[in-house]
Every structure is written in structure tokens, then in C-alpha cells.
Amino acid sequence: MSDKITILHATDFHYTRRNPRSRSDSFGEAILAKLAELVGTGNKIKADAIAISGDLFDRKGDVTTEETADMARVLAAARVPVLTIMGNHDQIGYRPESLPKTGYGVLVAAGLIRHLDDGPFFIRRNGLVVAVSGTSYRDGVDRDGRESYFPERLECDFQVHLTHGYLLDVKQSIIEEFTPYTGVAGTEADCILNGHYHPEQKTKRVRNDRGGCLVISPGAASRGALTSDNFDRMPRMTILRIDADGIRHTLRPFQCARPSSEVLKFEEKAEEKERDTKLKEFAEGLREATDFEETLTPEELLAAVGEDMPEFPDDVLRDEVMLEAKRYLEAAGASA
Ligand SMILES: [Mn+2]
């Protein structure tokens, strides 16, 4: 056994039995294979722990008993502790308190995963103490005080902290609420293992009073969407090796992951674009049909359209259209 403390990390599995439109293979089987690979690797290298930064499941309030059982079966093979936090997709209504009613909660109750919000996990070897703490997703994680990224310092040589939020290696983002890496400067953690944002982020060290905090956001283990970041991305797991000299990390591609060209339906991208154009045209038609007044809320605007409502485009859902129309009208209101 290595004299280094070893932690394997991956995030955002988004397990579901329902295949995303974008996938040509069985998404669920691919995800279970990845989780099995993480567990198998942990067993093989006799890791001290496996850490997952949330979104084990995909379907929020709709996670099924079968999906929970599938995950349980894979996790039951782990011979090392599996330390986790809840992502927003593991929760019902974005509420961490929903835990007892979720598939995630069943895995906790069965002792298959260890929920870090209940308390930290300590690893001790040759006098070295590593503490693993974690804070589950909550609404506002990337607003205000951003407390999730600032854990209470525990008695240890190194503290590794799990988070689930938009912690990004950028200064500007298309996402409204996010936390730039610099936003966690001063954290008491020595390493943050983050999940939530699916593209892989650069690993960087941010300043604190302890020689810096290593921020690692390896990206999602899953590739469920036809977004450009997924076109050539191979999902990776993180291996942390810790000794008295510090924390070293390597990123290692999942061996079972197939090239995106084999699992993503690229031709659907064009179809999706066409749907988007249709939606936009519809929203524009809606705007023309209304006597647009800045003071009206989107709901009032929609009500005002009444019978002049343009026809829904084919092959899009009514709810989608309404949402798009609201977004469009809101944007129009903001710029008027
Ligand atoms: Mn998430």
C-alpha cells in the first residue's frame, strides 16, 4: 500500500434510465459503467476514499425506485468509503431538506454513500490527517457570501472540500450567477473538488493563508447534451495523492468512455437549431400581435395576446413555447 493518502474523485453522473434525445447509445448503461469504473479503480488502487461532488441522479423529483436500485447495485461493490454531497439534481425542488424523500437519501440510509453535510470524514496515515468535508447544493450557492466554498477549518493537515456550484475558471460568463475562482480566495480548504458545471475547468491554485487552495472542477462524468464542450470532451476522474509535502492531482480519462462521435447524435444538432428558430419566430409573432407596453408583465402580455396567439410551431411542446415566449418578452421589456 502506498504511503500517500489517495482520494478518487468524479462528479455529475446524472444517472437516468430515460435516454436523452441527444444520445445514440444507452445513456443509463454508459453512466453505470462509469460509476462502476470509478468504484473498481478505487478498489483496485485501495484508495482511502471515493468522492462525488453531486448530481449522482438526473431526474430530481422523478428518480424511480429502479434507478435507485441500479445505483445501489454498483455502489455496493465499493470496498472503500464513498463520500458525497447532493447536487441540485439529487434534490426535490432544489431543497437539500428533501433528502429523506430522494433516491440519494435511500443510498445514504443504506450506508452505500456517506453524506458529508452530516459531518466530515477523516483519513489518518503515518501521523498525517486529511479531512474531507462537503456542502450540498443550495439555492444561492453562487450569490452573496458564497458560504459553501468557505468551510469551517477542521483539525487536520489537509482539508479537502466538496462543493456543487458554478465555480468557474473565467472572469465573465454567460451564466448569470457564478463564482469565479478568485471568489473563493481566502477559503480555509486546501483543495476544493467541485461539480455542477459540465465542461472541464482548468485546475488552479487560489490564494489563502495556507499556501493556496487547489480548485479542481474536472467536468461531468456524463455527456447528455449536444453542447459544443461535449463534442470532443472525454470525461475524466481526478486522483488526489496527499503526503506531508502536499496535495498532487492527476486527471484520468474514463476508460469505458467512448468518443462523443459514437454516442452523441450530431445530426440532431441541426434539428435543434431549426426548432430554436421556429420558437424565435413564434415569439416575434407574439410580440407583433400584442400592443406592447413596457409596464406589462410577461403573463399579462401573454393574456393580452388572447385569440391573436400565433399558431404553435410543429413538433414543439406548448410549455416550451410559452417559456420561450416569456423569455422573449422579458428580453424585449428589458431593452425597450
Ligand atoms: Mn448540478
Side-chain angles (χ1 to χ4, degrees):
M1 188 190 277
S2 148
D3 55 348
K4 287 181 170 39
I5 289 175
T6 310
I7 298 170
L8 272 186
H9 170 254
T11 188
D12 292 81
F13 284 87
H14 285 271
Y15 179 61
T16 170
R17 278 189 175 207
R18 201 174 51 180
N19 230 42
R21 268 195 318 216
S22 58
R23 294 281 292 220
S24 53
D25 63 336
S26 165
F27 178 75
E29 280 172 28
I31 292 304
L32 292 177
K34 286 202 185 98
L35 186 64
E37 183 177 329
L38 183 73
V39 166
T41 308
N43 289 343
K44 193 172 158 195
I45 68 170
K46 296 191 168 63
D48 293 279
I50 289 169
I52 302 174
S53 294
D55 285 353
L56 284 75
F57 293 96
D58 186 62
R59 304 211 286 138
K60 301 174 181 163
D62 298 323
V63 171
T64 64
T65 307
E66 285 164 319
E67 287 170 348
T68 307
D70 291 340
M71 292 292 270
R73 224 170 274 124
V74 175
L75 290 164
R79 295 194 295 272
V80 305
V82 180
L83 317 176
T84 60
I85 54 172
M86 292 183 105
N88 50 321
H89 283 260
D90 298 315
Q91 302 171 352
I92 301 170
Y94 298 102
R95 290 170 53 250
E97 313 84 68
S98 62
L99 184 144
K101 296 187 193 306
T102 63
Y104 179 99
V106 171
L107 301 179
V108 174
L112 294 167
I113 56 177
R114 200 177 177 295
H115 183 52
L116 289 171
D117 296 71
D118 289 342
F121 183 81
F122 287 91
I123 305 164
R124 299 182 171 84
R125 171 95 43 81
N126 301 334
L128 193 74
V129 182
V130 171
V132 186
S133 53
T135 309
S136 287
Y137 176 89
R138 62 167 184 83
D139 182 42
V141 57
D142 294 302
R143 272 203 309 272
D144 310 326
R146 297 175 163 128
E147 292 89 354
S148 295
Y149 306 109
F150 295 87
E152 182 193 340
R153 181 67 188 193
L154 301 161
E155 265 188 52
C156 61
D157 298 294
F158 296 103
Q159 182 165 347
V160 175
H161 185 65
L162 272 61
T163 53
H164 193 91
Y166 282 130
L167 181 55
L168 307 184
D169 173 31
V170 288
K171 291 199 174 61
Q172 291 197 321
S173 168
I174 48 159
I175 299 162
E176 234 168 86
E177 273 182 25
F178 76 104
T179 301
Y181 276 13
T182 49
V184 301
T187 179
E188 300 264 21
D190 300 292
C191 175
I192 290 178
L193 296 172
N194 185 59
H196 191 40
Y197 191 58
H198 289 200
E200 183 180 321
Q201 299 290 285
K202 282 202 189 80
T203 297
K204 279 190 185 164
R205 199 171 278 278
V206 301
R207 279 185 305 110
N208 68 7
D209 294 338
R210 302 173 182 275
C213 171
L214 195 61
V215 180
I216 303 176
S217 203
S222 59
R223 292 167 298 182
L226 278 168
T227 48
S228 55
D229 63 279
N230 277 335
F231 289 174
D232 50 12
R233 188 170 72 87
M234 284 306 271
R236 305 207 274 179
M237 63 175 88
T238 312
I239 308 173
L240 288 187
R241 290 192 179 85
I242 310 172
D243 63 12
D245 293 334
I247 303 176
R248 284 168 190 279
H249 82 284
T250 45
L251 288 169
R252 164 162 143 176
F254 280 93
Q255 305 295 302
C256 68
R258 288 159 59 197
S260 16
S261 57
E262 289 176 22
V263 295
L264 288 172
K265 291 185 203 160
F266 285 92
E267 66 275 16
E268 289 232 337
K269 189 69 188 166
E271 283 170 32
E272 223 162 76
K273 217 171 173 181
E274 206 181 304
R275 286 173 66 250
D276 283 354
T277 310
K278 279 187 195 167
L279 277 174
K280 212 172 154 209
E281 280 169 6
F282 169 80
E284 273 162 21
L286 187 66
R287 189 195 184 295
E288 276 162 23
T290 56
D291 237 346
F292 184 69
E293 278 178 51
E294 283 179 55
T295 51
L296 295 179
T297 65
E299 286 76 11
E300 285 167 337
L301 278 166
L302 285 173
V305 179
E307 287 170 6
D308 293 330
M309 179 79 81
E311 245 177 76
F312 291 133
D314 293 339
D315 41 275
V316 288
L317 299 170
R318 185 178 182 281
D319 283 356
E320 258 184 292
V321 172
M322 295 311 268
L323 267 173
E324 185 58 29
K326 279 188 189 183
R327 269 199 291 271
Y328 181 82
L329 290 168
E330 262 161 358
S335 60

